Amino acid sequence: MASAREDISFDSIKRESDLEMLVKNMMQTNNMIAHLKDEQFEMRNEIKRRDETISKLEDNIRLLKKEKRWNMLWQNSLEEDINHTQIALLAVGVISVLFTYFMSR
């Protein structure tokens, strides 16, 4: 009765409560969107870090392959040097044996 005297209608109260609910829902939606944007930003950063890690690993693999090739070349070079040294020592040994033989005569 008191509400009828003050010209407050139930329709206006209902509209106001619907409006409040709508505003609350909008605020919750905005908060959820902000939260999802934060998560999206974190995921992008994580993807960037992962991509950087993958790039570093690929660079390391390339360097290791180059190093492996270099080591193989170095090993082949050392083997050739060892072979040349063995031939040179054999030649010096033969010459010294021949020299000793001819000097003893």
Side-chain angles (χ1 to χ4, degrees):
M1 296 282 178
S3 63
R5 281 188 248 148
E6 296 177 9
D7 294 329
I8 299 175
S9 68
F10 290 110
D11 289 335
S12 66
I13 292 173
K14 184 179 176 195
R15 268 187 262 129
E16 285 179 22
S17 67
D18 287 345
L19 202 63
E20 286 178 22
M21 289 291 285
L22 184 62
V23 168
K24 285 181 183 178
N25 284 340
M26 291 285 285
M27 289 175 61
Q28 288 175 348
T29 302
N30 286 341
N31 289 340
M32 183 60 94
I33 288 171
H35 177 70
L36 291 174
K37 283 183 179 179
D38 289 343
E39 284 186 11
Q40 183 182 25
F41 181 75
E42 290 175 13
M43 290 174 79
R44 282 183 182 158
N45 286 340
E46 187 176 328
I47 289 170
K48 284 180 186 176
R49 283 192 301 270
R50 189 193 67 206
D51 289 346
E52 289 172 358
T53 302
I54 289 171
S55 176
K56 287 178 185 177
L57 288 172
E58 287 173 345
D59 290 344
N60 286 342
I61 288 170
R62 270 189 244 110
L63 287 173
L64 287 171
K65 284 181 179 178
K66 286 181 183 178
E67 186 176 328
K68 181 180 176 185
R69 277 188 236 124
W70 173 254
N71 286 340
M72 289 175 66
L73 290 172
W74 180 254
Q75 183 178 3
N76 290 341
S77 174
L78 285 176
E79 288 174 1
E80 288 176 12
D81 289 345
I82 289 170
N83 289 339
H84 290 155
T85 304
Q86 287 175 340
I87 291 171
L89 286 175
L90 180 64
V92 168
V94 168
I95 290 172
S96 79
V97 167
L98 289 175
F99 183 75
T100 306
Y101 175 73
F102 285 118
M103 289 301 283
S104 68
R105 282 188 140 211

